[in-house]
Amino acid sequence: WVSAYQWTGSEWTRIRGASSDADGNFLIGSLAAGTYRIEYSDWSGAYLGEVYDNVASLDAGTDVILAAETVVSNINASLTQASSISGTVTEPDGTTPLAYFQVEAFQWDGADWISIRSTYTDSDGAYTLNGLLPGTYRVWFHGDDAVYGPEAYENAATLEQGTDVALNSEENQAGINASLALLSPPDPPAL
């Protein structure tokens, strides 16, 4: 997906967008004359997004000047394949999959663990956290059912106790699995 942004005086505002075709070509039409910044995004997370001309943010982007009734060509990008983390979430037996459980990738910012990316397991308990930059992450597994306890990779009660998952550029770190423990049932109410 390719988006054209225009400066409003206080922020970059998305004006229009278009999908690239099978050959990677795109055309964003119906733009007024003006100054734009162009952002490339992959919603699947297989590739890292960027802003023209090969920068990470709109603020650092290169202006694209569009005169009235003209077409500006060669506003190209070569997107880098993203890194990812994948695995399976199961019941305590290690084989029965847990479907629709949330999996989150966190990074330490020097003061706190910050959630970077989140997804859910599929019906086979499998998940993939796409769109990750190279770096070190902690992975947190949890459901909303109060039946299974949350945990960090590898069987840790907190993110602080979790095991680091290191990603290199364009790498999939597979086998980051969890077998969630059953929570103790609550005590019955007193009669």
Side-chain angles (χ1 to χ4, degrees):
W1 184 257
V2 185
S3 299
Y5 288 79
Q6 198 167 35
W7 185 251
T8 63
S10 61
E11 65 183 1
W12 290 99
T13 300
R14 185 182 173 282
I15 303 299
R16 286 207 181 341
S19 293
S20 60
D21 65 19
D23 295 323
N25 298 311
F26 70 93
L27 173 66
I28 302 174
S30 302
L31 294 174
T35 302
Y36 296 88
R37 300 261 169 105
I38 307 300
E39 179 184 58
Y40 312 90
S41 305
D42 175 20
W43 294 342
S44 75
Y47 293 89
L48 298 175
E50 68 178 57
V51 174
Y52 180 78
D53 190 19
N54 199 27
V55 296
S57 71
L58 288 167
D59 291 331
T62 299
D63 289 341
V64 176
I65 311 297
L66 181 62
E69 298 182 21
T70 63
V71 175
V72 176
S73 300
N74 297 316
I75 307 301
N76 303 324
S78 292
L79 301 184
T80 302
Q81 186 175 344
S83 296
S84 61
I85 297 171
S86 62
T88 305
V89 180
T90 63
E91 290 187 11
D93 63 11
T95 58
T96 305
L98 289 175
Y100 315 112
F101 273 67
Q102 190 169 12
V103 183
E104 290 184 80
F106 286 80
Q107 277 189 315
W108 183 252
D109 73 351
D112 293 304
W113 288 101
I114 304 298
S115 179
I116 302 298
R117 188 83 62 221
S118 176
T119 192
Y120 287 87
T121 59
D122 64 16
S123 60
D124 295 323
Y127 75 90
T128 300
L129 290 160
N130 284 316
L132 299 173
L133 292 168
T136 302
Y137 296 86
R138 298 269 172 99
V139 181
W140 184 249
F141 306 92
H142 60 96
D144 297 327
D145 61 4
V147 174
Y148 299 94
E151 69 176 51
Y153 179 72
E154 291 188 291
N155 298 319
T158 66
L159 280 172
E160 290 77 11
Q161 298 168 332
T163 299
D164 288 343
V165 178
L167 286 177
N168 295 315
S169 182
E170 302 181 23
E171 175 186 21
N172 175 42
Q173 187 67 261
I176 307 303
N177 303 324
S179 292
L180 301 184
L182 288 167
L183 293 172
S184 300
D187 292 332
L191 298 177

